[in-house]
Amino acid sequence: MGSPALSQAFNSNWVVGGGGDFHSCKRFQESCLGSVSVGLGADTRFYIGRIRRFRICRSYISRSSKSCAACQDPISSSSRSHPHGYQTAEKESALILMRHGESMWNEKNLFTGCVDVPLTSKGVEEAIEAGKRISNLPLDIIYTSALIRAQMTTMLALTQHRCMKVPTIMHHETEQARTWSQIYSEGTKKQSIPVVKAWQLNERMYGELQGLNKQETAEQYGKEQVHNWRRSYHVRPPNGESLEMCLGRAVTFFKEHIEPQLLSGRHLMVVAHANSLRSIIMYLDKLTSQEVINLELSTGVPMLYIYREGNFIRRGSLVGSSEAGVYAYTESLAAYRQKLDETSKDG
Ligand SMILES: O=C(O)[C@@H](CO)OP(=O)(O)O
């Protein structure tokens, strides 16, 4: 059977979080945290027939062989007209949002903000687990923050992806950096996934709270004050950014750089932070400044959106290890996974 880690990936599933009608933070949270209670929108489409086919192939893909068929992305090596070589059945793109795995300051319960700390070993495991959960979804570009916890999460998650592509960090800081990081083989480029780092996706800058213990700060300033600093939309922590300010940069970046990619049919993942993602989700789900207060994101839990005709449709979060969640696939995502299955059978 080969790698247990890899075969587990074949079992990973999505729990459906509903269609475009969703606006409740509580239900969002339940979905993110793994509850199987689901809300289905009228526009949710199911591909139950395909699920049986998904079960067929769980053969081991050799991750070490460089020349096997499984090493080629089956979709991007087909002849259809997607930016990376294929066209989806209907014009839609997948967008995965993911908060980084647990960091060493999450573990210590310290305000972190823009302090650049790495993952704990639990965070490493969360990132690998998240990678298994997204291993059957198409990915053309990844956006991460400029902070190491998001980048570690990205790289660890990508070790599990069935497309076998290599995540490659783009260095466009200067002309020289761009030139010096060029790839000169078209074939190798096709086997790479560009990873774009953007400071605009960084965690909200927590000002003078950075490095303070959250519990001790609540004892000193009162629970309500600290809750306002942490969760309100308008209130700024001392000399730090409010969520509103964080949204100003993160959502502007999203609109200017990420949405055009989705519009052109590319499938994306954004790996960022609790508050930069809260602000992006606020925009995607049209949450009010009151509703966003209750929005909590767990570390290392991927969330799937479908972008179709200018709308973002939230599909849910990956949990558990049964096949049922394949319901979350749309026709084009199901087709992608089917191709992966066929290629791994051939390989
Ligand atoms: O400390 C931070 O940077 C953030 C995320 O970990 O904390 P909070 O949940 O308080 O926004």
Side-chain angles (χ1 to χ4, degrees), residues 11-75:
N11 286 324
S12 53
N13 72 302
W14 289 94
V15 163
V16 177
D21 61 343
F22 175 84
H23 288 115
S24 151
C25 292
K26 186 163 184 299
R27 280 169 64 205
F28 183 97
Q29 207 176 325
E30 279 169 358
S31 172
C32 291
L33 295 175
S35 161
V36 289
S37 71
V38 293
L40 303 180
D43 60 344
T44 306
R45 300 177 65 182
F46 301 99
Y47 295 91
I48 299 166
R50 293 182 188 272
I51 294 167
R52 290 194 179 86
R53 265 179 273 152
F54 293 161
R55 287 196 176 122
I56 298 168
C57 180
R58 294 183 182 173
S59 61
Y60 173 56
I61 301 173
S62 164
R63 300 185 71 86
S64 57
S65 164
K66 290 197 173 74
S67 59
C68 67
C71 296
Q72 289 182 5
D73 183 318
I75 299 289

Side-chain angles (χ1 to χ4, degrees), residues 73 76 84 134-135 137-144 154-155 157-170 183 187-196 266-269 336:
D73 183 318
S76 56
H84 285 184
I134 60 167
S135 62
L137 290 169
L139 273 180
D140 296 314
I141 309 180
I142 299 172
Y143 289 88
T144 80
T154 303
M155 295 303 174
L158 261 288
T159 61
Q160 304 300 312
H161 203 284
R162 292 176 70 197
C163 74
M164 321 296 267
K165 289 187 179 177
V166 178
T168 312
I169 294 182
M170 298 291 100
I183 300 172
T188 305
K189 254 189 216 168
K190 280 196 185 129
Q191 289 308 309
S192 310
I193 301 183
V195 178
V196 179
R266 291 185 173 87
H267 304 291
L268 306 183
M269 178 160 77
Y336 180 82

Side-chain angles (χ1 to χ4, degrees), residues 99 106 110-113 149 203 206 214 230-231 274-275:
R99 184 181 172 198
N106 291 147
L110 304 183
F111 283 101
T112 313
R149 55 194 185 273
E203 181 54 291
Y206 251 120
K214 290 176 187 176
R230 293 180 66 188
R231 292 294 169 262
N275 294 291

Side-chain angles (χ1 to χ4, degrees), residues 1 6-11 50-61 70 136 162 323 337-347:
M1 184 64 201
L6 203 62
S7 64
Q8 253 180 314
F10 288 89
N11 286 324
R50 293 182 188 272
I51 294 167
R52 290 194 179 86
R53 265 179 273 152
F54 293 161
R55 287 196 176 122
I56 298 168
C57 180
R58 294 183 182 173
S59 61
Y60 173 56
I61 301 173
N136 293 305
R162 292 176 70 197
E323 288 278 346
R337 178 165 177 175
Q338 195 180 346
K339 281 277 183 186
L340 286 170
D341 288 347
E342 283 165 12
T343 309
S344 60
K345 238 189 308 186
D346 297 344

Side-chain angles (χ1 to χ4, degrees), residues 91-283:
K91 182 97 170 132
E92 65 175 31
S93 317
L95 168 67
I96 300 165
L97 302 182
M98 181 156 70
R99 184 181 172 198
H100 59 82
E102 183 194 70
S103 77
M104 292 180 87
W105 277 19
N106 291 147
E107 187 187 38
K108 290 178 185 293
N109 203 24
L110 304 183
F111 283 101
T112 313
C114 289
V115 181
D116 205 357
V117 295
L119 300 183
T120 59
S121 53
K122 180 180 167 208
V124 168
E125 279 167 27
E126 286 174 338
I128 291 171
E129 182 56 29
K132 290 174 189 168
R133 292 172 178 186
I134 60 167
S135 62
N136 293 305
L137 290 169
L139 273 180
D140 296 314
I141 309 180
I142 299 172
Y143 289 88
T144 80
S145 78
L147 300 172
I148 194 73
R149 55 194 185 273
Q151 290 169 31
M152 281 179 82
T153 303
T154 303
M155 295 303 174
L156 289 164
L158 261 288
T159 61
Q160 304 300 312
H161 203 284
R162 292 176 70 197
C163 74
M164 321 296 267
K165 289 187 179 177
V166 178
T168 312
I169 294 182
M170 298 291 100
H171 284 285
H172 294 170
E173 308 85 50
T174 62
E175 227 12 80
Q176 189 189 53
R178 186 188 289 267
T179 310
W180 285 23
S181 59
Q182 287 278 349
I183 300 172
Y184 291 94
S185 153
E186 284 310 311
T188 305
K189 254 189 216 168
K190 280 196 185 129
Q191 289 308 309
S192 310
I193 301 183
V195 178
V196 179
K197 289 189 293 182
W199 69 266
Q200 295 90 332
L201 299 173
N202 282 6
E203 181 54 291
R204 156 244 287 269
M205 199 276 281
Y206 251 120
E208 289 162 22
L209 299 185
Q210 288 184 176
L212 302 192
N213 181 283
K214 290 176 187 176
Q215 176 66 32
E216 288 167 11
T217 310
E219 283 159 16
Q220 187 176 349
Y221 295 96
K223 272 188 181 164
E224 203 182 321
Q225 173 65 77
V226 171
H227 184 260
N228 279 337
W229 281 334
R230 293 180 66 188
R231 292 294 169 262
S232 77
Y233 180 65
H234 299 288
V235 177
R236 289 178 60 185
N239 287 323
E241 282 183 305
S242 62
L243 186 64
E244 185 178 18
M245 293 159 80
C246 179
L247 180 143
R249 58 172 163 88
V251 173
T252 303
F253 181 84
F254 187 90
K255 287 181 183 168
E256 287 176 2
H257 298 269
I258 298 178
E259 269 190 63
Q261 299 286 359
L262 291 166
L263 191 62
S264 67
R266 291 185 173 87
H267 304 291
L268 306 183
M269 178 160 77
V270 177
V271 184
H273 304 266
N275 294 291
S276 52
L277 287 172
R278 284 172 75 227
S279 69
I280 289 171
I281 290 167
M282 190 177 175
Y283 165 66

